[in-house]
Amino acid sequence: MNQRIRTLSSAGLAVLAAAVLTFALWSAINHPVRADESDMQDYASPLEVLLSPDGARLYVLCQQSEEVRVLDATSFAVIKNIAVGRVPRGFSLSHDGARLFVANSWDDTLSVIDTSTLAVVATWPVGAEPSSVVEDRAAKRLFVANRISSNVAVLDAQTGAEEKRLSAGRGASYLTLSPDGSRIYATHIYPNPPRVRTDLDNRTAPESEITVIDASRAVVVDRMPLHAIAGVFHLALSGDGRLGVVAEYHPKNLVPLAHLEHGGAFADTLTLFGADVGKPVEVPLDELERYASQPFGVAIAPDKSRIYITCGGSEMVTVVDVLRLLRFIHTRSGPYTQDLSASANYVVTRIPVGLNPRGLTISRDGHRLFVANRLDDTISVIDTHTNRVASIITLAGPSTILPRTLNEKDFNVASSAVEGQITCTNCHIDGRKQSQYAPTPRDLAKLIDAHKSYLAESLVSTGPKHISTLRRGEQAFYTSRYSFQGQIGCATCHIDSTFDGLTWDLEPDGFGRDIVDNRPIEDLKGTEPFKWNGGNPNLPTECGPRTEKYFWRSENYDSRTLTDLATYVRSLPSRPNRWRLPHGELTPAQERGQAFFVRSVDKFGKPIPETNRCSYCHSGPKGTDQKSFDVGTRKSTDNSGLLDTPQLSNIALTAPYLHDGSARTLEEIWTIYNPDDKHGRTNDLTKDELNDLIEYLRTR
Amino acid sequence: MKKICMIAMLLAVGTLALAAPPKMPLYRFENFTAANGLPDNHVYSVLVDGDRIWAGTENGLAVYENHAWKTYTTKDGLAHRAVLSLALDKRTGDVWAGTMGGLSRVSGGRIDSYTQLNSGLSNDVVYGVSVEGENVWVATAAGACRLNLRTDQWTLYNERNTPMFEIWVYGVSATPSKVYFAVWGSGLLEYDQKTGRWDKYDDPDGETEMVLFKDQGLIHEITTSVSYVDNIVWVATYFGDCRYDGRQWHNFLTKDSGLPSNFTNTVKGVDANHAWFGTDKGLAYYDGVNWAVYTPSLKDGKPEMTVRDAQGKVTPVAVTTAPAHNYILGIDFQGDDIWVATAKGLSHGIRLK
């Protein structure tokens, strides 16, 4: 009897606690957080983490605050913050740990930090958008992946002098040195240009690669093909060098984007290679109703028992059992990518962490895994024995403490609770309105604190701190939670807030109709309307109902989230243009090209109609008059030839071109797709004159 | 008596010495054709890349490594099946192939191709290619061009911005100081990399079929190939060949040299004084004084080698092998060995000690 009473009391307390929890969380939705468009909070935005060779220090690369934060790896106390260059994207330690190299992607520089003094001792110029750096074991050379120039620069490790550049994949971004130091592996975020020109009826799957570089000779010795992959991120190798693992996106862009169930839009996968694997093989991370959206960072346990993968859109770390994985691939014949039951054979758990988890690192003893949660300024410290977050390092930020904004979805998903065991709706059955549970912010904070043990760590993070409109918008951009079963988010197709280099067949225009090229989203202010047919007059329309219905296939954003999202997207600045001279002047070729761009008379003295001059439609600082025109590029699968004039900002980076991506290069816009001079008068130009026009366009 | 015998002996030795032809390199030629791995017998170009040999054929780009041939075709992304020219980027190990349909780069097994439609390449018919630093210099049927690998910028050279009269550029040889172009019908063009200035060398006698002013300039306007090495320009034409040291010209014709034919497809300088010439009637080697010619006989196809000394004396040398054919299209060196592209196969000349 007493036992029964105790049991009932415990159950009652649990119900009460869950109700209070529900109470608390609902209130967060209705709590009026100020939306200030001009609010530019200085968040840390940790992107990558590294441990010093002795394990005593944790280095955190903070992208938004543009610094390396050095923490004590035991107490997590800040030792020093070191300012580096603009938008640092990757860093690595020398083999002896004496130097830390930081790739500053918007400065085109490398910061070299002396780890004994924790000061920048050199800043070296490198290639276009350096994103990752490794030093060879001999400390003779540095290798730098350049995202815009799609190559790996080889520098003298002592002077920074560039020796040469090795061609890599398009958007080369991440480098890994093999454990024996003999090889460097480079991955890239955009698919390689297609080898042959295809028409719309024979679009081909994207092709990517892992570029393999001989570290001692500094030459490319192999390229491992990754078929149907677009978006390849971090690569890790086991300590014995026999197992390689890379995180990647497998888009399904050749079929209409009609549904998300059963992985209709993307598969999130790993490619495995190495002696343990044999022929490289792709394995899925997703399962039927839960996706490992935006896999990014990879770490392999020192004893090779586990692989840890951060999933940036799913706010979790996926844990894979290596033995089970290898047994699976050696006993079951592939391919496995479409099999959403496959991952159950080797995924052992999924650990909820913070928002947009990206880089990770594991301690030498394998006991602790550090995960950088970029969009809530925390580092999750995971105990690898229990596979739970043991502590959260909050990176310093503004002083106001508020829990992060939650939404209704948190109530319905098991990931809100510890180990996903219950949902709030298990107990919230009394039919009360949400607003009746709204306490004050102080009460909310107390309740969250009191219910920590019930809640997933991602919900109790107390930093940062004041969540600005832009921050909330960025969080909305990167999460996949708004889509059906959390499969995709904005950032899945707009990698790092850019694009994916792919063409898509979207449902609203009809299946097989209006194949469209994915466009970058930088510097959008003043370029509306949106969509290639100009059908969306503004960003809330572009990102709102259309996105929700045809992309997320799930519930709508609330109005505040949509506002935040649109505000964030509108705020994205244009990255530095690498073709312009430092003070804005043009080279002779660019000047000649500009003259063709603005000319009103062709080479035979004949006037060019105003509407057929480049500068007419592509007018203004961003190169669009925001109107629609028919430039003769309509294909048989297009509903209309009238197309919104695209902006020209950083046009050199955004291949392929034209509304359907049919022009692989800028040249092809006119050499192939302008036979009747409808897209500007260009057929009177010689080849060198066309080259000049393109040189000018690259400066836009 | 003793004195007479001594003199007689000296005379005999001297005569023997005079009679022996100059020592010229001897080779054992191993020939590759479609029968033993090449994709096609018509081999336009050859490139030595360490232990690998690249052959540009009529039907694909072949690479010989570890005693086996592998062929890249248009299915692998090659711009066109006919590969006319090859160049190696020694810094990166990339191979550049000029084809009838564009320029291809082979890097780590991946082929990226540039055409006049998808890039700034001047023309798809790429006769010559040369890599110097981070620049790829290209000779095409409609002018020359340069691709800067760092900036991806194409710069075109034609009659509008160079002294070219004709724009059919057959060959290019680039170094950090000078770049030379062999322009069919427009002689030899020189580009000074430091000053950005052009210079042009024409046939001084203006006569296409005669050489009135020997050794006073380029031997003919119809240049087919150029090789710049050790500050010496070696030039091949369809009407004889030349050596130019910046001041003095030395012309070579069949009538006054060991050239087996004036119709020369290709020239490759070894250094300032030694060069190889590929003609329609055999392969010729010049050591600064003497000549050697290697060819299958035009009469019966049997291997032949002849040596011509400074006095013009031609001596046959007994050999058992010869290049695959007399029509020579390309030459490259691998240590002491040579590789020869011919109209009927690829030949590996293994130097005999």
Side-chain angles (χ1 to χ4, degrees), chain A residues 162 164-165 167-168 195 209 219 223 579 665 667-668 671 687-688 691 695 698, chain B residues 91-92 105 107 110 116-121 150-153 156 158 160:
Chain A
E162 185 171 301
K164 56 185 165 181
R165 294 188 184 184
S167 175
R195 282 186 197 146
E209 67 180 62
V219 292
R223 296 179 195 272
W579 280 270
T665 63
E667 285 85 355
E668 286 191 349
T671 59
K687 182 65 178 166
D688 35 352
N691 284 359
E695 280 303 304
R698 290 180 176 190
Chain B
R91 303 168 310 147
T92 64
R105 175 183 59 197
S107 174
R110 186 187 82 199
Q116 64 190 62
L117 293 185
N118 75 7
S119 74
L121 181 70
R150 176 184 289 266
T151 63
D152 283 335
Q153 182 180 0
L156 269 53
N158 46 46
R160 289 186 285 281

mmCIF file of all heavy atoms in Angstrom, chain A residues 162 164-165 167-168 195 209 219 223 579 665 667-668 671 687-688 691 695 698, chain B residues 91-92 105 107 110 116-121 150-153 156 158 160:
data_model
loop_
_atom_site.group_PDB
_atom_site.id
_atom_site.type_symbol
_atom_site.label_atom_id
_atom_site.label_comp_id
_atom_site.label_asym_id
_atom_site.label_seq_id
_atom_site.Cartn_x
_atom_site.Cartn_y
_atom_site.Cartn_z
ATOM 1 N N GLU A 162 53.701 32.069 -50.971
ATOM 2 C CA GLU A 162 52.923 31.065 -51.701
ATOM 3 C C GLU A 162 53.805 30.424 -52.764
ATOM 4 O O GLU A 162 54.467 31.100 -53.554
ATOM 5 C CB GLU A 162 51.692 31.695 -52.349
ATOM 6 C CG GLU A 162 50.800 30.659 -53.013
ATOM 7 C CD GLU A 162 49.473 31.213 -53.475
ATOM 8 O OE1 GLU A 162 48.703 31.733 -52.639
ATOM 9 O OE2 GLU A 162 49.202 31.125 -54.688
ATOM 10 N N LYS A 164 52.533 27.602 -54.779
ATOM 11 C CA LYS A 164 51.684 27.201 -55.908
ATOM 12 C C LYS A 164 50.279 26.959 -55.403
ATOM 13 O O LYS A 164 50.023 27.019 -54.194
ATOM 14 C CB LYS A 164 52.199 25.917 -56.549
ATOM 15 C CG LYS A 164 52.339 24.744 -55.578
ATOM 16 C CD LYS A 164 52.963 23.550 -56.253
ATOM 17 C CE LYS A 164 53.438 22.527 -55.253
ATOM 18 N NZ LYS A 164 54.071 21.358 -55.869
ATOM 19 N N ARG A 165 49.378 26.659 -56.354
ATOM 20 C CA ARG A 165 48.007 26.304 -55.988
ATOM 21 C C ARG A 165 47.637 25.015 -56.684
ATOM 22 O O ARG A 165 47.917 24.831 -57.859
ATOM 23 C CB ARG A 165 47.048 27.419 -56.396
ATOM 24 C CG ARG A 165 47.292 28.685 -55.620
ATOM 25 C CD ARG A 165 46.243 29.705 -55.867
ATOM 26 N NE ARG A 165 46.587 30.945 -55.172
ATOM 27 C CZ ARG A 165 45.800 32.002 -55.137
ATOM 28 N NH1 ARG A 165 44.634 31.984 -55.746
ATOM 29 N NH2 ARG A 165 46.181 33.079 -54.490
ATOM 30 N N SER A 167 44.642 22.490 -57.903
ATOM 31 C CA SER A 167 43.222 22.506 -58.227
ATOM 32 C C SER A 167 42.472 21.519 -57.341
ATOM 33 O O SER A 167 42.847 20.357 -57.227
ATOM 34 C CB SER A 167 43.058 22.117 -59.705
ATOM 35 O OG SER A 167 41.707 22.002 -60.029
ATOM 36 N N ALA A 168 41.406 21.988 -56.712
ATOM 37 C CA ALA A 168 40.614 21.112 -55.837
ATOM 38 C C ALA A 168 39.175 21.129 -56.345
ATOM 39 O O ALA A 168 38.905 21.486 -57.486
ATOM 40 C CB ALA A 168 40.716 21.581 -54.393
ATOM 41 N N ARG A 195 30.828 17.992 -66.628
ATOM 42 C CA ARG A 195 31.823 17.842 -67.694
ATOM 43 C C ARG A 195 31.248 18.223 -69.045
ATOM 44 O O ARG A 195 31.920 18.782 -69.885
ATOM 45 C CB ARG A 195 32.271 16.390 -67.766
ATOM 46 C CG ARG A 195 33.236 16.034 -66.707
ATOM 47 C CD ARG A 195 33.742 14.648 -66.940
ATOM 48 N NE ARG A 195 34.345 14.151 -65.742
ATOM 49 C CZ ARG A 195 34.317 12.904 -65.347
ATOM 50 N NH1 ARG A 195 33.687 12.007 -66.063
ATOM 51 N NH2 ARG A 195 34.912 12.525 -64.246
ATOM 52 N N GLU A 209 34.042 15.458 -54.992
ATOM 53 C CA GLU A 209 35.260 14.652 -54.853
ATOM 54 C C GLU A 209 35.906 14.916 -53.511
ATOM 55 O O GLU A 209 35.607 15.894 -52.827
ATOM 56 C CB GLU A 209 36.269 15.023 -55.937
ATOM 57 C CG GLU A 209 36.832 16.440 -55.788
ATOM 58 C CD GLU A 209 37.844 16.819 -56.852
ATOM 59 O OE1 GLU A 209 37.473 16.843 -58.037
ATOM 60 O OE2 GLU A 209 38.999 17.093 -56.471
ATOM 61 N N VAL A 219 51.481 17.688 -54.351
ATOM 62 C CA VAL A 219 50.770 17.545 -55.629
ATOM 63 C C VAL A 219 49.523 16.699 -55.391
ATOM 64 O O VAL A 219 49.471 15.908 -54.443
ATOM 65 C CB VAL A 219 51.642 16.876 -56.721
ATOM 66 C CG1 VAL A 219 52.790 17.785 -57.120
ATOM 67 C CG2 VAL A 219 52.144 15.520 -56.295
ATOM 68 N N ARG A 223 41.758 11.774 -56.811
ATOM 69 C CA ARG A 223 40.487 12.438 -56.509
ATOM 70 C C ARG A 223 39.449 11.333 -56.351
ATOM 71 O O ARG A 223 39.161 10.614 -57.307
ATOM 72 C CB ARG A 223 40.075 13.385 -57.640
ATOM 73 C CG ARG A 223 41.045 14.536 -57.838
ATOM 74 C CD ARG A 223 40.638 15.434 -58.981
ATOM 75 N NE ARG A 223 41.744 16.313 -59.368
ATOM 76 C CZ ARG A 223 41.986 17.497 -58.842
ATOM 77 N NH1 ARG A 223 41.182 17.961 -57.901
ATOM 78 N NH2 ARG A 223 42.999 18.218 -59.245
ATOM 79 N N TRP A 579 37.738 40.465 -57.666
ATOM 80 C CA TRP A 579 38.236 40.874 -58.965
ATOM 81 C C TRP A 579 38.440 42.376 -59.055
ATOM 82 O O TRP A 579 38.931 42.873 -60.049
ATOM 83 C CB TRP A 579 37.264 40.397 -60.058
ATOM 84 C CG TRP A 579 37.478 38.948 -60.368
ATOM 85 C CD1 TRP A 579 38.322 38.416 -61.293
ATOM 86 C CD2 TRP A 579 36.857 37.841 -59.702
ATOM 87 N NE1 TRP A 579 38.252 37.038 -61.269
ATOM 88 C CE2 TRP A 579 37.363 36.657 -60.304
ATOM 89 C CE3 TRP A 579 35.925 37.710 -58.679
ATOM 90 C CZ2 TRP A 579 36.972 35.373 -59.902
ATOM 91 C CZ3 TRP A 579 35.543 36.444 -58.280
ATOM 92 C CH2 TRP A 579 36.061 35.298 -58.894
ATOM 93 N N THR A 665 28.895 28.546 -67.684
ATOM 94 C CA THR A 665 29.829 29.634 -67.400
ATOM 95 C C THR A 665 29.217 30.933 -67.889
ATOM 96 O O THR A 665 28.232 30.934 -68.635
ATOM 97 C CB THR A 665 31.163 29.410 -68.129
ATOM 98 O OG1 THR A 665 30.908 29.419 -69.550
ATOM 99 C CG2 THR A 665 31.801 28.090 -67.744
ATOM 100 N N GLU A 667 30.531 32.835 -70.073
ATOM 101 C CA GLU A 667 30.689 32.867 -71.526
ATOM 102 C C GLU A 667 29.509 32.239 -72.236
ATOM 103 O O GLU A 667 29.027 32.726 -73.254
ATOM 104 C CB GLU A 667 31.981 32.137 -71.938
ATOM 105 C CG GLU A 667 33.261 32.904 -71.668
ATOM 106 C CD GLU A 667 33.774 32.734 -70.249
ATOM 107 O OE1 GLU A 667 33.094 32.096 -69.421
ATOM 108 O OE2 GLU A 667 34.885 33.241 -69.973
ATOM 109 N N GLU A 668 29.032 31.118 -71.720
ATOM 110 C CA GLU A 668 27.976 30.380 -72.411
ATOM 111 C C GLU A 668 26.673 31.168 -72.490
ATOM 112 O O GLU A 668 25.844 30.883 -73.344
ATOM 113 C CB GLU A 668 27.740 29.022 -71.739
ATOM 114 C CG GLU A 668 28.846 28.021 -72.021
ATOM 115 C CD GLU A 668 28.513 26.602 -71.583
ATOM 116 O OE1 GLU A 668 27.505 26.405 -70.872
ATOM 117 O OE2 GLU A 668 29.275 25.686 -71.958
ATOM 118 N N THR A 671 27.730 32.846 -75.819
ATOM 119 C CA THR A 671 28.249 32.039 -76.930
ATOM 120 C C THR A 671 27.234 30.987 -77.367
ATOM 121 O O THR A 671 27.255 30.536 -78.499
ATOM 122 C CB THR A 671 29.564 31.342 -76.541
ATOM 123 O OG1 THR A 671 29.335 30.498 -75.401
ATOM 124 C CG2 THR A 671 30.654 32.355 -76.216
ATOM 125 N N LYS A 687 35.962 37.620 -79.901
ATOM 126 C CA LYS A 687 36.179 36.796 -78.719
ATOM 127 C C LYS A 687 36.878 37.582 -77.614
ATOM 128 O O LYS A 687 36.520 37.504 -76.445
ATOM 129 C CB LYS A 687 37.004 35.568 -79.114
ATOM 130 C CG LYS A 687 37.254 34.611 -77.974
ATOM 131 C CD LYS A 687 35.994 33.989 -77.463
ATOM 132 C CE LYS A 687 36.287 33.008 -76.356
ATOM 133 N NZ LYS A 687 35.102 32.630 -75.618
ATOM 134 N N ASP A 688 37.873 38.370 -77.981
ATOM 135 C CA ASP A 688 38.574 39.109 -76.929
ATOM 136 C C ASP A 688 37.682 40.203 -76.339
ATOM 137 O O ASP A 688 37.816 40.531 -75.162
ATOM 138 C CB ASP A 688 39.931 39.656 -77.372
ATOM 139 C CG ASP A 688 39.981 40.097 -78.816
ATOM 140 O OD1 ASP A 688 39.001 39.849 -79.550
ATOM 141 O OD2 ASP A 688 41.003 40.651 -79.223
ATOM 142 N N ASN A 691 35.556 38.541 -73.866
ATOM 143 C CA ASN A 691 36.364 38.302 -72.669
ATOM 144 C C ASN A 691 36.437 39.560 -71.806
ATOM 145 O O ASN A 691 36.376 39.504 -70.583
ATOM 146 C CB ASN A 691 37.784 37.865 -73.043
ATOM 147 C CG ASN A 691 37.843 36.424 -73.512
ATOM 148 O OD1 ASN A 691 36.829 35.727 -73.545
ATOM 149 N ND2 ASN A 691 39.025 35.964 -73.872
ATOM 150 N N GLU A 695 35.306 40.109 -68.010
ATOM 151 C CA GLU A 695 36.215 40.627 -66.977
ATOM 152 C C GLU A 695 35.546 41.753 -66.199
ATOM 153 O O GLU A 695 35.707 41.879 -64.988
ATOM 154 C CB GLU A 695 37.517 41.143 -67.612
ATOM 155 C CG GLU A 695 38.506 40.052 -67.944
ATOM 156 C CD GLU A 695 38.886 39.213 -66.737
ATOM 157 O OE1 GLU A 695 39.355 39.770 -65.725
ATOM 158 O OE2 GLU A 695 38.707 37.978 -66.794
ATOM 159 N N ARG A 698 32.835 40.415 -63.752
ATOM 160 C CA ARG A 698 33.406 39.818 -62.539
ATOM 161 C C ARG A 698 33.633 40.856 -61.439
ATOM 162 O O ARG A 698 33.746 40.508 -60.281
ATOM 163 C CB ARG A 698 34.738 39.160 -62.847
ATOM 164 C CG ARG A 698 34.608 37.917 -63.669
ATOM 165 C CD ARG A 698 35.973 37.365 -63.897
ATOM 166 N NE ARG A 698 35.914 36.112 -64.617
ATOM 167 C CZ ARG A 698 36.924 35.316 -64.796
ATOM 168 N NH1 ARG A 698 38.102 35.647 -64.304
ATOM 169 N NH2 ARG A 698 36.786 34.207 -65.464
ATOM 170 N N ARG B 91 55.047 22.329 -61.352
ATOM 171 C CA ARG B 91 54.806 22.653 -59.939
ATOM 172 C C ARG B 91 53.696 21.776 -59.372
ATOM 173 O O ARG B 91 53.767 21.312 -58.236
ATOM 174 C CB ARG B 91 54.385 24.110 -59.784
ATOM 175 C CG ARG B 91 55.369 25.127 -60.354
ATOM 176 C CD ARG B 91 54.713 26.503 -60.399
ATOM 177 N NE ARG B 91 53.421 26.401 -61.045
ATOM 178 C CZ ARG B 91 52.366 27.145 -60.744
ATOM 179 N NH1 ARG B 91 52.452 28.084 -59.833
ATOM 180 N NH2 ARG B 91 51.219 26.996 -61.369
ATOM 181 N N THR B 92 52.649 21.594 -60.159
ATOM 182 C CA THR B 92 51.476 20.902 -59.627
ATOM 183 C C THR B 92 51.336 19.474 -60.118
ATOM 184 O O THR B 92 50.552 18.709 -59.574
ATOM 185 C CB THR B 92 50.189 21.644 -60.027
ATOM 186 O OG1 THR B 92 50.079 21.601 -61.450
ATOM 187 C CG2 THR B 92 50.219 23.093 -59.559
ATOM 188 N N ARG B 105 42.732 20.075 -68.981
ATOM 189 C CA ARG B 105 43.706 19.903 -67.905
ATOM 190 C C ARG B 105 43.402 18.587 -67.211
ATOM 191 O O ARG B 105 42.271 18.344 -66.818
ATOM 192 C CB ARG B 105 43.619 21.043 -66.888
ATOM 193 C CG ARG B 105 44.538 20.813 -65.685
ATOM 194 C CD ARG B 105 44.420 21.887 -64.636
ATOM 195 N NE ARG B 105 43.078 21.983 -64.138
ATOM 196 C CZ ARG B 105 42.601 23.024 -63.457
ATOM 197 N NH1 ARG B 105 43.374 24.044 -63.207
ATOM 198 N NH2 ARG B 105 41.360 23.024 -63.032
ATOM 199 N N SER B 107 44.225 16.594 -63.968
ATOM 200 C CA SER B 107 44.792 16.836 -62.652
ATOM 201 C C SER B 107 44.307 15.764 -61.696
ATOM 202 O O SER B 107 43.114 15.707 -61.398
ATOM 203 C CB SER B 107 44.362 18.223 -62.161
ATOM 204 O OG SER B 107 44.783 18.443 -60.837
ATOM 205 N N ARG B 110 41.267 13.920 -62.818
ATOM 206 C CA ARG B 110 40.062 14.652 -63.223
ATOM 207 C C ARG B 110 40.419 15.523 -64.425
ATOM 208 O O ARG B 110 41.476 16.133 -64.470
ATOM 209 C CB ARG B 110 39.598 15.540 -62.074
ATOM 210 C CG ARG B 110 38.270 16.245 -62.325
ATOM 211 C CD ARG B 110 37.954 17.236 -61.221
ATOM 212 N NE ARG B 110 38.645 18.491 -61.435
ATOM 213 C CZ ARG B 110 38.861 19.399 -60.479
ATOM 214 N NH1 ARG B 110 38.449 19.185 -59.265
ATOM 215 N NH2 ARG B 110 39.505 20.513 -60.746
ATOM 216 N N GLN B 116 36.164 27.409 -76.645
ATOM 217 C CA GLN B 116 35.931 28.816 -76.983
ATOM 218 C C GLN B 116 34.501 29.218 -76.627
ATOM 219 O O GLN B 116 34.201 30.399 -76.587
ATOM 220 C CB GLN B 116 36.199 29.047 -78.471
ATOM 221 C CG GLN B 116 35.260 28.310 -79.385
ATOM 222 C CD GLN B 116 35.714 28.371 -80.837
ATOM 223 O OE1 GLN B 116 36.776 27.894 -81.198
ATOM 224 N NE2 GLN B 116 34.895 28.950 -81.684
ATOM 225 N N LEU B 117 33.672 28.260 -76.360
ATOM 226 C CA LEU B 117 32.302 28.594 -75.970
ATOM 227 C C LEU B 117 32.143 28.742 -74.457
ATOM 228 O O LEU B 117 31.379 29.568 -73.989
ATOM 229 C CB LEU B 117 31.321 27.521 -76.470
ATOM 230 C CG LEU B 117 31.137 27.404 -77.976
ATOM 231 C CD1 LEU B 117 30.047 26.387 -78.282
ATOM 232 C CD2 LEU B 117 30.798 28.738 -78.621
ATOM 233 N N ASN B 118 32.878 27.922 -73.692
ATOM 234 C CA ASN B 118 32.648 27.967 -72.248
ATOM 235 C C ASN B 118 33.709 28.748 -71.485
ATOM 236 O O ASN B 118 33.655 28.844 -70.263
ATOM 237 C CB ASN B 118 32.508 26.547 -71.669
ATOM 238 C CG ASN B 118 33.843 25.809 -71.565
ATOM 239 O OD1 ASN B 118 34.904 26.367 -71.801
ATOM 240 N ND2 ASN B 118 33.793 24.545 -71.199
ATOM 241 N N SER B 119 34.661 29.330 -72.208
ATOM 242 C CA SER B 119 35.744 30.042 -71.520
ATOM 243 C C SER B 119 36.273 31.138 -72.430
ATOM 244 O O SER B 119 35.739 31.389 -73.500
ATOM 245 C CB SER B 119 36.865 29.081 -71.172
ATOM 246 O OG SER B 119 37.592 28.741 -72.347
ATOM 247 N N GLY B 120 37.362 31.744 -72.001
ATOM 248 C CA GLY B 120 37.977 32.780 -72.826
ATOM 249 C C GLY B 120 38.981 32.264 -73.830
ATOM 250 O O GLY B 120 39.686 33.057 -74.455
ATOM 251 N N LEU B 121 39.059 30.969 -74.024
ATOM 252 C CA LEU B 121 39.985 30.392 -75.010
ATOM 253 C C LEU B 121 39.694 30.961 -76.382
ATOM 254 O O LEU B 121 38.532 31.074 -76.789
ATOM 255 C CB LEU B 121 39.812 28.874 -75.024
ATOM 256 C CG LEU B 121 40.697 28.069 -75.961
ATOM 257 C CD1 LEU B 121 42.138 28.085 -75.475
ATOM 258 C CD2 LEU B 121 40.202 26.634 -76.056
ATOM 259 N N ARG B 150 45.891 31.956 -61.466
ATOM 260 C CA ARG B 150 45.546 32.546 -60.175
ATOM 261 C C ARG B 150 44.259 33.352 -60.293
ATOM 262 O O ARG B 150 43.387 33.270 -59.442
ATOM 263 C CB ARG B 150 46.684 33.440 -59.701
ATOM 264 C CG ARG B 150 46.391 34.186 -58.409
ATOM 265 C CD ARG B 150 47.521 35.107 -58.095
ATOM 266 N NE ARG B 150 48.680 34.337 -57.696
ATOM 267 C CZ ARG B 150 48.984 34.060 -56.427
ATOM 268 N NH1 ARG B 150 48.229 34.516 -55.459
ATOM 269 N NH2 ARG B 150 50.035 33.354 -56.124
ATOM 270 N N THR B 151 44.144 34.122 -61.360
ATOM 271 C CA THR B 151 42.993 35.018 -61.502
ATOM 272 C C THR B 151 41.911 34.466 -62.425
ATOM 273 O O THR B 151 40.852 35.065 -62.544
ATOM 274 C CB THR B 151 43.434 36.376 -62.075
ATOM 275 O OG1 THR B 151 43.962 36.152 -63.389
ATOM 276 C CG2 THR B 151 44.497 37.013 -61.193
ATOM 277 N N ASP B 152 42.208 33.356 -63.112
ATOM 278 C CA ASP B 152 41.285 32.789 -64.108
ATOM 279 C C ASP B 152 41.046 33.735 -65.270
ATOM 280 O O ASP B 152 40.040 33.622 -65.969
ATOM 281 C CB ASP B 152 39.907 32.462 -63.480
ATOM 282 C CG ASP B 152 39.972 31.189 -62.666
ATOM 283 O OD1 ASP B 152 40.846 30.352 -62.943
ATOM 284 O OD2 ASP B 152 39.170 31.038 -61.720
ATOM 285 N N GLN B 153 41.937 34.685 -65.467
ATOM 286 C CA GLN B 153 41.746 35.635 -66.558
ATOM 287 C C GLN B 153 42.395 35.121 -67.831
ATOM 288 O O GLN B 153 43.525 34.637 -67.814
ATOM 289 C CB GLN B 153 42.357 36.986 -66.198
ATOM 290 C CG GLN B 153 42.150 38.027 -67.285
ATOM 291 C CD GLN B 153 42.752 39.370 -66.937
ATOM 292 O OE1 GLN B 153 43.331 39.535 -65.871
ATOM 293 N NE2 GLN B 153 42.630 40.319 -67.830
ATOM 294 N N LEU B 156 43.962 37.448 -74.744
ATOM 295 C CA LEU B 156 44.090 36.965 -76.119
ATOM 296 C C LEU B 156 45.100 37.793 -76.888
ATOM 297 O O LEU B 156 45.220 39.009 -76.679
ATOM 298 C CB LEU B 156 42.722 37.055 -76.813
ATOM 299 C CG LEU B 156 41.834 35.812 -76.712
ATOM 300 C CD1 LEU B 156 41.626 35.341 -75.298
ATOM 301 C CD2 LEU B 156 40.504 36.076 -77.380
ATOM 302 N N ASN B 158 46.319 38.474 -80.873
ATOM 303 C CA ASN B 158 46.022 38.258 -82.280
ATOM 304 C C ASN B 158 46.521 39.462 -83.074
ATOM 305 O O ASN B 158 47.376 40.220 -82.587
ATOM 306 C CB ASN B 158 44.511 38.031 -82.473
ATOM 307 C CG ASN B 158 43.683 39.055 -81.715
ATOM 308 O OD1 ASN B 158 43.978 40.250 -81.766
ATOM 309 N ND2 ASN B 158 42.675 38.606 -81.001
ATOM 310 N N ARG B 160 45.232 42.132 -83.685
ATOM 311 C CA ARG B 160 44.816 43.445 -83.174
ATOM 312 C C ARG B 160 45.758 43.979 -82.097
ATOM 313 O O ARG B 160 45.840 45.176 -81.891
ATOM 314 C CB ARG B 160 43.399 43.369 -82.605
ATOM 315 C CG ARG B 160 42.336 43.213 -83.673
ATOM 316 C CD ARG B 160 40.933 43.281 -83.060
ATOM 317 N NE ARG B 160 40.595 42.065 -82.344
ATOM 318 C CZ ARG B 160 40.193 40.946 -82.928
ATOM 319 N NH1 ARG B 160 40.073 40.880 -84.225
ATOM 320 N NH2 ARG B 160 39.891 39.879 -82.205
#
